[in-house]
Amino acid sequence: MQPTPVASGLRAVQASASGQGAASVHPRDVLLGAQAQTGFLPVCDHYSGVEARMRKSLQLQAEMAQEFGTCVFDVTLDCEDGAPVGLESAHAALVADLALNAAPGARVAARVHAVDHPAFANDVATIAGEAGHRLCHIMIPKVESVDDVLLAERALERASAAHVPLHVLIESPAAVQRAFDIAAHPRVQSLSFGLMDFVSAHGGAIPAQAMTSAGQFTHPLVVRAKLEIASACHAHGKVPSHCVVTEFSDMAALQGAAGRASRELGYTRMWSIHPAQIRTILQAFAPQQDDIDSASRIIAAAALADWAPISVDGVLHDRASYRFYWQILERAHRTGRALPLAVRQWFDVSAFVPS
C-alpha cells in the first residue's frame, strides 16, 4: 500500500480534533492489542512504610492527581521494611485499612514480606483479603524464580484476590539469570531491580561505590543486571522499574540517574523513597515538548488515514512508527504533560471504555 501524503499536519490535526475519520477508534486497541492492558503504569512508584509517611503519601497523591489531571505516581505501602519486628500483623492490618480508605481513584499497592518469611501468608491474607479491590498491585520482594511467583499467586487466590497483579523485585544474581522466565509469567506486571541487595549478594566482590547514584551506572555487573531485567520486561510486554537513589536530598544525582535509566537502559518506571523525589522522576521520564508535538501530528494524521501508511513532511510512517509515537503520548500523559487538542480526546477516561 502506498503512503497517503500529508503535506501539512495542520489539516490532520484539525480533522482529528473534530472527531472525523477513525478518531473514534482508540489507538491503544489498534496499535497495542493485549499490551494495552498491561503496558502502562505511572512512571513513579513511591514507597513508604511509617504510618505518618504513608498517610502523607496518599494525601500527596490525591493533590498531585488533581494538579495534573491524572494519577502520576503509585503509592506502595511497605510491610517488608516498614513493619516493626514482632508487629507484622498489626502493620498489615494498618496497610489494609489505609488502602480501604484511600481516595477514590487512588493507585495504592502494598509490598509484603518475601514468600519464605513467616509473615508472608498473613500479609497477603490481611491486605489482599480485606482490600484487594482497592489494590493496583502487590509487590513481592526477593523473588528468586518462577516458583516464588507461583507461591504468591496461590496466596492471592486463597485471599480471593486473584485479580491483583504481581510486581516482583529482582535482588540476586540467580534471580537476574531467571528474569526472562519470571517476566513471562502472565500474572507478573512489572520487574524492579533491587540494587543494594544485589550488590550485597556478591560477598564483597562489588564495591560499595556501585550502590551510589553514579557508581551503579559504571560497574559492569550492575549495568548488566539492569539491562537483563529491562530486556526481559520488554520481551514479554512488562514494565521495567528502576531502583532507588538513596541520596534522596541530592536532586541533581537523582535527575542524572533517572535520565540515564530512561534514555540509556530502557526503564519506563522508577522507585521514589522521599516525596521530594517524585517530581524529579516525573520530569526525567517525561518526553520533550518537541517530541510530544511531533507525535501528536503523526498520530492524528494516522487516525485520519485509518492507520494506513502515510507520509508526513516527506517521511514514511506506518504501524511500527505509529506504535512508537503513540507510546510517547502515553508517557506524556502519565507524567502529567499537557497534550495538544488533536490527541487529547483519547486520554479522556470518560470517552472510551477499555476493551
Side-chain angles (χ1 to χ4, degrees), residues 193-202 204 206-219 222-223 226 242-248 253 257 273:
F193 178 51
L195 171 65
M196 290 177 284
D197 279 281
F198 178 81
V199 171
S200 299
H202 285 76
I206 299 178
Q209 174 67 18
M211 291 187 284
T212 67
S213 58
Q216 62 178 283
F217 290 96
T218 58
H219 195 282
V222 175
V223 173
K226 291 185 183 188
H242 195 261
C243 58
V244 300
V245 168
T246 56
E247 305 100 313
F248 58 83
I273 55 172

Side-chain angles (χ1 to χ4, degrees), residues 9 11 25 27 29 47 55 70 82 132 207 213 220 239 249 252 269 278 310 329 333 336 350:
R11 177 172 58 82
V25 179
D29 297 328
Y47 277 71
R55 293 186 184 277
T70 187
S213 58
V239 176
S249 61
R269 183 168 159 99
I278 295 171
I310 61 173
L329 297 179
H333 176 66
S350 64

Side-chain angles (χ1 to χ4, degrees), residues 94-302:
L94 171 63
V95 167
D97 182 68
L98 291 173
L100 282 170
N101 291 287
R107 285 187 56 88
V108 55
R111 176 166 70 163
V112 298
H113 287 83
V115 296
D116 59 355
H117 191 282
F120 168 75
N122 182 72
D123 281 353
V124 176
T126 300
I127 299 168
E130 296 179 10
H133 62 289
R134 295 303 312 274
L135 298 176
C136 56
H137 65 267
I138 288 279
M139 167 61 76
I140 311 295
K142 296 178 173 59
V143 168
E144 290 291 314
S145 68
V146 176
D147 289 340
D148 291 343
V149 176
L150 295 174
L151 287 172
E153 184 179 39
R154 288 194 288 270
L156 284 175
E157 290 170 352
R158 289 193 295 270
S160 299
H163 62 284
V164 179
L166 289 172
H167 291 200
V168 304
L169 191 51
I170 304 296
E171 304 181 74
S172 74
V176 169
Q177 182 184 11
R178 302 172 185 129
F180 280 81
D181 292 335
I182 294 169
H185 193 283
R187 291 295 303 283
V188 172
Q189 189 180 51
S190 174
L191 268 60
S192 294
F193 178 51
L195 171 65
M196 290 177 284
D197 279 281
F198 178 81
V199 171
S200 299
H202 285 76
I206 299 178
Q209 174 67 18
M211 291 187 284
T212 67
S213 58
Q216 62 178 283
F217 290 96
T218 58
H219 195 282
L221 286 176
V222 175
V223 173
R224 173 182 171 272
K226 291 185 183 188
L227 290 172
E228 286 291 305
I229 291 168
S231 182
C233 285
H234 291 300
H236 295 287
K238 309 302 172 67
V239 176
S241 187
H242 195 261
C243 58
V244 300
V245 168
T246 56
E247 305 100 313
F248 58 83
S249 61
D250 189 341
M251 290 301 107
L254 174 64
Q255 187 172 27
R260 296 191 70 176
S262 174
R263 294 190 305 270
E264 299 175 14
L265 302 183
Y267 281 80
T268 58
R269 183 168 159 99
M270 185 170 178
W271 285 34
S272 160
I273 55 172
H274 190 280
Q277 294 183 322
I278 295 171
R279 289 182 186 271
T280 301
I281 291 172
L282 292 178
Q283 182 180 17
F285 278 79
Q288 298 298 308
Q289 189 61 49
D290 287 349
D291 294 331
I292 296 172
D293 293 340
S294 295
S296 298
R297 293 180 62 229
I298 292 166
I299 292 299

